[in-house]
């Protein structure tokens, strides 16, 4: 693996293009959405058989199926899920917003916060099971006060869903679970079918087809973000352990072949040792083929003149996950402007955030951390403003409001004020 030297190249020159949805994918997804919108469950069944090999039974998971799933797992595993939920709840409860009101005597203005009625959570199946995705989406929705949480996830050919996913859904209070995956599940959540109810907002990650579907239904319902392939960027100094840095890079590379892993360091010695460690460690992974392809296509190791320079370069990249594997990590935290989630010091692996620490793991990817935030309680509420004027308050503001309306050429706006005044 080549070690690059940063010499004021642009982010595009160093990191290449971030993945964008192709027109062919959007066209195929558009057809699926139209089919589900028109044909409902009939279309869902056809796609479930085509893509998942599942061709029988009800879409909705029964209470018996959920109970059997929970009972099949060890008490230690259930306890681990419960501890993770506790940590996630503790963090997200701090995000709760209250409304406010400003009372000037004759004029009252305010804002009230209302939870969404129904939220839809998409949980990928594919090459791995993700109970952590269930927790990270359902817990903030529950804290926000969402009335009904609906979850979709693809079933295996035998019609079963991984027990770990069902147990996670049970523990954090998901109301209904459906066996549906891919773009067709997103369409079902957006428009509703005979089985799956229409939701107000869809959250959760997925492959390129799921991402395209969320983009296309945005506006019909809300979405959290368009999540692309997973990313990690590590800023490390000479004090970092090369074996640990390599392991952290591989923790993202094993996700899928499009995942990105980047190391920025001011230590040539560390960079060279990390290259060696990657070659040793990747061969030991059960998902080594996926990890190796990801490394070959998307891994970058870049030498910078200083850690400050590395932070500046990281901000240009705006990574989903940023690890500051440096001795004085908190000093650099304030310099970070663009990152989904930041992991501080030598002893904080990105995996701690994926599962257990409490902050959300649904994060902006593809450079969108420049303007987007992690999933949180705010994604499951909406704000409504309200205004109250007494007659005297309107009279005192009337001249200004009328002047404003006339300046925009909207005379009826002005007349709506004048009509309330004594002639």
């Amino acid at each position: 693996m080549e070690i690059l030297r940063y010499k004021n190249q642009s982010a595009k020159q160093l990191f290449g293009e971030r993945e964008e949805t192709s027109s062919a994918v959007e066209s195929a997804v558009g057809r699926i959405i139209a089919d589900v919108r028109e044909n409902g469950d009939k279309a869902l069944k056809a796609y479930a058989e085509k893509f998942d090999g599942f061709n029988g039974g009800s879409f909705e998971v029964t209470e018996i199926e959920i109970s059997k799933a929970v009972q099949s797992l060890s008490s230690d595993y259930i306890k681990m899920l419960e501890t993770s939920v506790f940590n996630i709840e503790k963090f997200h409860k701090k995000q709760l917003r209250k409304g406010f009101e400003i009372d000037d005597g004759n004029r009252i203005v305010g804002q009230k916060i209302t939870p969404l009625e129904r939220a839809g959570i998409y949980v990928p199946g594919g090459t791995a099971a993700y109970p952590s995705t269930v927790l990270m989406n359902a817990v903030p929705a529950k804290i926000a006060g969402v009335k009904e949480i609906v979850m979709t996830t693809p079933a295996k050919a035998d019609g079963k869903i991984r027990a770990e996913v069902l147990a996670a859904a049970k523990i954090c209070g998901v109301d209904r679970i459906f066996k549906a995956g891919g773009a067709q599940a997103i369409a079902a959540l957006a428009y509703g079918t005979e089985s799956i109810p229409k939701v107000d907002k869809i959250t959760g990650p997925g492959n390129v087809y799921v991402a395209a579907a969320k983009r296309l239904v945005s506006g019909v319902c809300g979405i959290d973000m368009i999540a692309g392939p997973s990313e990690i960027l590590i800023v490390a100094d000479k004090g970092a352990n090369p074996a640990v840095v390599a392991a952290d890079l591989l923790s993202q590379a094993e996700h899928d072949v499009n995942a990105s892993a980047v190391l920025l360091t001011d230590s040539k010695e560390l960079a060279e040792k990390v290259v060696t460690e990657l070659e040793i460690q990747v061969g030991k992974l059960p998902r080594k083929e996926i990890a190796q392809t990801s490394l070959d296509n998307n891994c970058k190791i870049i030498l910078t003149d200083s850690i400050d320079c590395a932070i500046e370069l990281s901000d240009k990249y705006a990574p989903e996950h940023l690890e500051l594997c440096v001795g004085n990590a908190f000093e650099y935290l304030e310099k970070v402007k663009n990152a989904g989630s930041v992991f501080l010091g030598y002893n904080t692996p990105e995996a701690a955030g994926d599962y257990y620490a409490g902050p959300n793991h649904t994060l902006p990817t593809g450079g969108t951390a420049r303007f987007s935030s992690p999933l949180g309680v705010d994604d499951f509420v909406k704000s409504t403003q309200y205004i109250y004027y007494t007659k005297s308050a309107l009279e005192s503001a009337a001249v200004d409001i009328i002047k404003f309306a006339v300046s925009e050429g909207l005379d009826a706006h002005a007349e709506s004020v004048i009509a309330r005044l004594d002639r």
Side-chain angles (χ1 to χ4, degrees):
M1 180 178 294
E2 181 185 3
I3 298 173
L4 305 174
R5 166 70 71 173
Y6 177 52
K7 297 179 179 178
N8 295 317
Q9 301 99 315
S10 68
K12 183 178 179 180
Q13 289 172 321
L14 276 174
F15 304 120
E17 294 281 3
R18 314 287 269 276
E19 182 183 86
E20 294 183 3
T21 304
S22 69
S23 57
V25 168
E26 288 214 346
S27 179
V29 168
R31 290 192 294 272
I32 291 172
I33 291 172
D35 190 8
V36 172
R37 185 179 183 184
E38 182 177 350
N39 298 305
D41 282 357
K42 181 181 177 181
L44 281 184
K45 288 179 181 179
Y47 291 122
E49 183 172 4
K50 179 179 180 179
F51 296 125
D52 303 320
F54 169 55
N55 61 1
S58 169
F59 284 114
E60 187 159 9
V61 178
T62 65
E63 284 297 326
I64 293 174
E65 288 177 282
I66 296 170
S67 295
K68 285 182 178 179
V70 174
Q71 291 167 10
S72 73
L73 299 170
S74 70
S75 59
D76 285 345
Y77 188 85
I78 297 298
K79 185 178 179 181
M80 176 269 293
L81 285 178
E82 290 172 343
T83 305
S84 183
V85 167
F86 175 83
N87 292 340
I88 297 166
E89 286 178 340
K90 186 176 182 180
F91 179 85
H92 286 80
K93 282 178 179 177
K94 294 289 187 181
Q95 297 177 342
L96 271 171
R97 284 192 295 146
K98 295 182 179 179
F100 62 86
E101 188 169 275
I102 301 169
D103 188 344
D104 292 335
N106 292 322
R107 183 188 74 124
I108 298 173
V109 294
Q111 178 174 286
K112 69 187 188 79
I113 304 298
T114 308
L116 302 181
E117 284 287 308
R118 182 184 289 135
I121 296 172
Y122 182 81
V123 179
T127 59
Y130 298 103
S132 60
T133 297
V134 181
L135 305 187
M136 294 294 180
N137 285 263
V139 170
K142 274 290 181 185
I143 291 171
V146 173
K147 187 175 181 180
E148 184 179 27
I149 301 173
V150 175
M151 186 179 103
T152 65
T153 189
K156 294 183 287 185
D158 60 3
K160 293 183 178 179
I161 294 170
R162 284 280 292 267
E164 296 88 345
V165 170
L166 293 181
K170 177 70 173 179
I171 288 169
C172 56
V174 172
D175 296 293
R176 301 178 72 184
I177 306 169
F178 295 91
K179 302 170 184 178
Q184 60 272 22
I186 301 301
L189 290 170
Y191 292 100
T193 71
E194 297 90 332
S195 296
I196 300 178
K198 180 179 180 178
V199 303
D200 299 312
K201 191 166 191 175
I202 301 171
T203 69
N207 63 19
V208 65
Y209 294 93
V210 170
K214 287 173 71 176
R215 181 182 286 110
L216 290 175
V217 302
S218 176
V220 175
C221 62
I223 63 169
D224 52 349
M225 62 186 77
I226 307 296
S230 193
E231 308 163 343
I232 189 169
L233 187 148
I234 301 174
V235 173
D237 62 16
K238 63 182 180 181
N241 183 332
V244 167
V245 172
D248 288 359
L249 291 170
L250 288 169
S251 73
Q252 290 306 293
E254 73 171 353
H255 266 291
D256 66 70
V257 296
N258 295 311
S260 297
V262 176
L263 169 62
L264 304 179
T265 180
D266 60 351
S267 169
K268 184 179 180 182
E269 181 182 3
L270 176 72
E272 291 170 345
K273 288 182 178 179
V274 169
V275 171
T276 301
E277 283 291 337
L278 286 171
E279 293 170 353
I280 294 170
Q281 293 183 33
V282 70
K284 300 177 181 179
L285 295 174
R287 294 166 65 87
K288 60 184 177 182
E289 289 83 7
I290 292 172
Q292 186 64 64
T293 303
S294 174
L295 291 180
D296 292 342
N297 294 342
N298 308 310
C299 184
K300 305 284 185 182
I301 297 179
I302 301 169
L303 279 175
T304 61
D305 292 334
S306 66
I307 296 300
D308 280 317
C309 178
I311 297 291
E312 291 176 9
L313 187 55
S314 171
D315 272 338
K316 293 179 181 178
Y317 187 76
E320 178 188 16
H321 306 97
L322 170 61
E323 287 191 7
L324 297 182
C325 289
V326 295
N328 49 347
F330 277 95
E331 292 180 19
Y332 288 103
L333 177 60
E334 291 305 312
K335 298 181 180 182
V336 174
K337 298 182 182 70
N338 303 323
S341 192
V342 185
F343 303 81
L344 300 166
Y346 299 131
N347 301 305
T348 313
E350 182 266 318
D354 271 351
Y355 306 119
Y356 203 75
N360 211 284
H361 80 193
T362 304
L363 305 169
T365 62
T368 59
R370 292 180 297 108
F371 52 82
S372 296
S373 304
L375 187 74
V377 172
D378 276 348
D379 287 285
F380 297 99
V381 300
K382 57 184 179 179
S383 62
T384 303
Q385 301 172 166
Y386 58 90
I387 303 167
Y388 168 78
Y389 271 62
T390 64
K391 186 175 182 180
S392 62
L394 182 62
E395 288 173 344
S396 66
V399 171
D400 286 344
I401 298 171
I402 292 166
K403 187 182 297 181
F404 222 134
V406 171
S407 75
E408 293 190 347
L410 299 175
D411 288 2
H413 281 61
E415 286 296 330
S416 72
V417 176
I418 295 167
R420 286 173 165 81
L421 303 177
D422 293 330
R423 300 279 180 156

